[in-house]
Amino acid sequence: MATPRVNPNCRLEDQGITGLGHVYYNLLEPALINAAIERGEGKLGLGGAFLVSTGAHTGRSPKDKFVVRTASVEDTIWWENNKPMDADAADRLHADMLDHMKGRDYFVQDLFGGADPALRLDVRVVSELAWHNLFIRHLLRRPEAAELAGFVPEFTIINCPSFKADPARHGCRSETVIAINLDKKLILIGNTQYSGENKKGVFTLLNYLLPAKGVMPMHCSANHAHGDKNDVAIFFGLSGTGKTTLSADPSRTLIGDDEHGWSDRGVFNFEGGCYAKTINLSAEAEPEIYATCSKFGTVIENMVYDEDTLELDFEDNSITDNMRCAYPLDYISNASEDSLGGTPKNVIMLTCDAYGVLPPISRLTPAQAMYHFLSGFTSKTPGTEVGVTEPIPTFSTCFGAPFMPRRPEVYGKLLQERIAKSGADCWLVNTGWTGGAYGTGKRMPIKATRALLAAALDGSLNNVEFRKDPNFGFEVPVAVPGVDAKLLDPRQTWADPAAYDAQARKLVGMFSDNFAQYVDKIDDDVKAAAIG
């Protein structure tokens, strides 16, 4: 193996992790791929991509994620949304996992969470699997060699897929566990090979830490106009709503595809790479992302491929709908070099409406934007979580409830202040169904979505005629060049308008019922924007 690249005064032994086999610090991509191949973790694919299967877990396991309950976090955690783990049980889990690790080889990456040097988080990831180390090296931000010489982690993630938790002893739900200990600055992950748990663990940390610094953490992608860092657009949305696809616009510069912060200085990416869904990916529709699937070091997760030619099958979802590729940001030709941008001019909220009710784009007032941000309506898409096999309409507050340790009003207030100060235009974009609900209608044409977004971002959409939507009260364009006018009025796309009306009433009721939980915690203007 290569010579370790590490601060000699900050090895695992200094963190109380002893008795391991070989420990490999900060290996680069070639060494990690070689190690993964030698250990039988996967297979080298076309162009040097690395093909892996994550086994039983092909998505996140949110029911197995816990926050350790201690006095210091008791009053700041949103416990209705975050399962508590007793501190003593967490200590037993930690001790048992360290004991399980003894004699085994591990791979360590020292990385940054956050492109802004003043706000980034120093994270050490300790991986049982070499390819997990490769994955997180793509997804977080890499220190320079000189920075590694003095690197001291603030938080440590230990990922041990071979470790099985004991629910009775460790206070968890099953043999799979993700335990976040904010007091001990530690995340423990056991009995899952799904790599997304690593990156979402870091995201959860930043969602807890940054609001205390007045910074808005966001589950969003972001880009800016070529040559103009102050023309920034952010795209809120859950997995499967189009954050990666729509932000990777060749006419704009990509800041990042999933996680960002909004500070007084502007927007900054938390990550150093992208984690894109590959189901039905095509060279024609998404050439840049498609091309990464045959580049050196790209991690290809849970895709079917020809055993002889190694050709990937982008349509075969027999393993999972959540097939993905993970690659460094610089594999996208129009990616920002520093992952920094100015203050957003456009705030876009992406929703995947499986009911087929919402129009493809709507203009929101700031109060309506807050209403839809707190509502977080979308549909969980197949594969993104264990057990999700078809789109399920859901409300995920702040478009990221699974990763929000604090109460939603904390993030809502931060966004409200940022929008008020910036004067950003706000939009709701439906990338879900039209012409009927899931099973009857069809997915919104991506060509139309791109055309509408382009008009929103260049300002021309503000100059067209708008109508007031009778169900939700937001404004909807009547006609936009290059877009079928019928598509802009979802009622017209349904074969039976009366069936659309019934579906719309149902969805309005769902919004009203969900929003009741926030009525006593929000400003009057946001209450006025509420439905019903």
Side-chain angles (χ1 to χ4, degrees):
M1 292 288 183
T3 302
R5 300 160 70 243
V6 65
N7 178 356
N9 298 314
C10 190
R11 293 178 177 269
L12 291 184
E13 293 86 347
D14 300 310
Q15 297 179 262
I17 305 175
T18 60
L20 304 186
H22 294 291
V23 178
Y24 304 103
Y25 292 89
N26 297 305
L27 296 184
L28 303 184
E29 292 77 5
L32 287 169
I33 291 174
N34 283 336
I37 293 172
E38 290 172 3
R39 292 156 55 91
E41 295 177 5
K43 191 171 186 176
L44 197 65
L46 295 176
F50 192 67
L51 313 177
V52 297
S53 167
T54 63
H57 293 81
T58 57
R60 291 181 295 102
S61 300
K63 293 180 180 179
D64 295 305
K65 183 178 178 181
F66 297 83
V67 174
V68 179
R69 194 165 202 158
T70 60
S72 68
V73 303
E74 177 66 38
D75 296 332
T76 54
I77 298 295
W78 180 23
W79 293 114
E80 296 88 343
N81 183 63
N82 293 270
K83 294 183 178 182
M85 176 178 282
D86 180 77
D88 289 339
D91 288 344
R92 290 192 293 271
L93 174 66
H94 188 199
D96 290 350
M97 186 175 284
L98 291 183
D99 186 61
H100 174 86
M101 293 166 63
K102 291 185 185 300
R104 301 171 187 260
D105 294 350
Y106 277 82
F107 299 84
V108 177
Q109 287 289 325
D110 293 327
L111 300 161
F112 298 137
D116 186 335
L119 296 167
R120 70 192 181 196
L121 183 67
D122 296 353
V123 181
R124 168 166 285 180
V125 182
V126 183
S127 308
E128 181 178 20
L129 297 175
W131 80 261
H132 271 190
N133 234 224
L134 174 66
F135 169 90
I136 203 64
R137 183 169 167 78
H138 290 337
L139 267 295
L140 293 185
R141 302 190 65 83
R142 308 166 183 174
E144 299 293 336
E147 292 174 308
L148 286 174
F151 189 97
V152 176
E154 183 174 353
F155 274 83
T156 298
I157 298 174
I158 300 176
N159 192 319
C160 187
S162 67
F163 176 83
K164 296 182 184 298
D166 179 346
R169 177 171 169 78
H170 301 135
C172 50
R173 186 188 73 99
S174 72
E175 292 180 334
T176 301
V177 66
I178 302 98
I180 300 174
N181 194 326
L182 293 164
D183 270 11
K184 297 197 172 180
K185 300 183 182 299
L186 182 68
I187 298 179
L188 303 176
I189 303 173
N191 195 47
T192 172
Q193 292 189 42
Y194 182 65
S195 60
E197 300 288 9
N198 294 283
K199 82 181 217 89
K200 289 306 185 187
V202 176
F203 186 42
T204 302
L205 292 178
L206 289 167
N207 278 328
Y208 181 77
L209 298 170
L210 290 179
K213 300 177 181 180
V215 177
M216 174 64 189
M218 305 177 293
H219 192 207
C220 74
S221 57
N223 61 27
H224 65 73
H226 288 326
D228 185 359
K229 283 194 171 187
N230 292 314
D231 184 359
V232 170
I234 56 176
F235 303 77
F236 285 101
L238 289 176
S239 297
T241 56
K243 293 194 309 299
T244 298
T245 297
L246 296 174
S247 58
D249 181 344
S251 68
R252 295 174 65 86
T253 298
L254 177 67
I255 301 174
D257 82 324
D258 196 35
E259 304 169 2
H260 294 80
W262 184 349
S263 71
D264 289 339
R265 291 185 293 277
V267 169
F268 62 100
N269 192 357
F270 290 167
E271 301 185 307
C274 300
Y275 191 35
K277 296 190 76 170
T278 57
I279 187 167
N280 299 322
L281 189 65
S282 72
E284 294 74 28
E286 299 170 85
E288 293 258 42
I289 299 175
Y290 183 88
T292 68
C293 294
S294 56
K295 289 191 175 184
F296 180 77
T298 293
V299 176
I300 304 292
E301 278 186 3
N302 298 318
M303 287 192 70
V304 174
Y305 59 89
D306 186 289
E307 290 287 347
D308 296 321
T309 67
L310 301 178
E311 292 285 346
L312 300 171
D313 190 332
F314 292 88
E315 297 180 358
D316 190 335
N317 64 346
S318 58
I319 298 175
T320 178
D321 287 287
N322 197 36
M323 56 180 79
R324 288 182 180 262
C325 61
Y327 51 89
L329 198 59
D330 60 16
Y331 277 10
I332 301 297
S333 63
N334 63 323
S336 167
E337 292 185 1
D338 60 11
S339 296
L340 300 172
T343 298
K345 286 186 176 180
N346 287 277
V347 173
I348 297 133
M349 298 180 188
L350 302 173
T351 180
C352 175
D353 174 21
Y355 278 71
V357 169
L358 295 174
I361 195 166
S362 311
R363 184 168 63 186
L364 306 176
T365 65
Q368 288 171 335
M370 289 311 307
Y371 177 85
H372 285 278
F373 180 68
L374 288 173
S375 297
F377 171 70
T378 191
S379 302
K380 291 181 181 178
T381 52
T384 54
E385 290 184 11
V386 174
V388 177
T389 58
E390 64 180 50
I392 300 174
T394 188
F395 291 87
S396 184
T397 188
C398 308
F399 294 101
F403 323 116
M404 302 296 171
R406 296 179 183 270
R407 283 206 56 83
E409 301 83 44
V410 172
Y411 307 103
K413 188 68 174 177
L414 281 167
L415 183 62
Q416 186 177 34
E417 292 169 353
R418 293 291 174 190
I419 290 174
K421 189 174 181 179
S422 67
D425 289 330
C426 300
W427 310 90
L428 181 69
V429 171
N430 174 24
T431 61
W433 274 257
T434 186
Y438 171 77
T440 302
K442 59 183 180 180
R443 283 301 291 263
M444 195 70 68
I446 190 170
K447 184 177 180 181
T449 302
R450 289 189 187 281
L452 291 167
L453 277 173
L457 298 186
D458 69 18
S460 62
L461 192 57
N462 281 316
N463 299 323
V464 306
E465 179 186 355
F466 283 80
R467 65 177 177 86
K468 185 175 180 179
D469 183 88
N471 298 303
F472 293 91
F474 43 51
E475 293 184 317
V476 181
V478 174
V480 178
V483 179
D484 183 356
K486 185 178 178 181
L487 193 67
L488 295 169
D489 186 352
R491 191 173 188 269
Q492 294 186 37
T493 68
W494 283 53
D496 182 356
Y500 170 85
D501 292 339
Q503 191 82 312
R505 287 193 296 272
K506 181 178 180 180
L507 186 58
V508 166
M510 290 174 63
F511 265 86
S512 296
D513 291 344
N514 173 74
F515 203 74
Q517 63 185 302
Y518 303 119
V519 169
D520 296 331
K521 303 177 179 70
I522 56 173
D523 295 340
D524 289 341
D525 59 341
V526 180
K527 290 180 185 178
I531 301 168

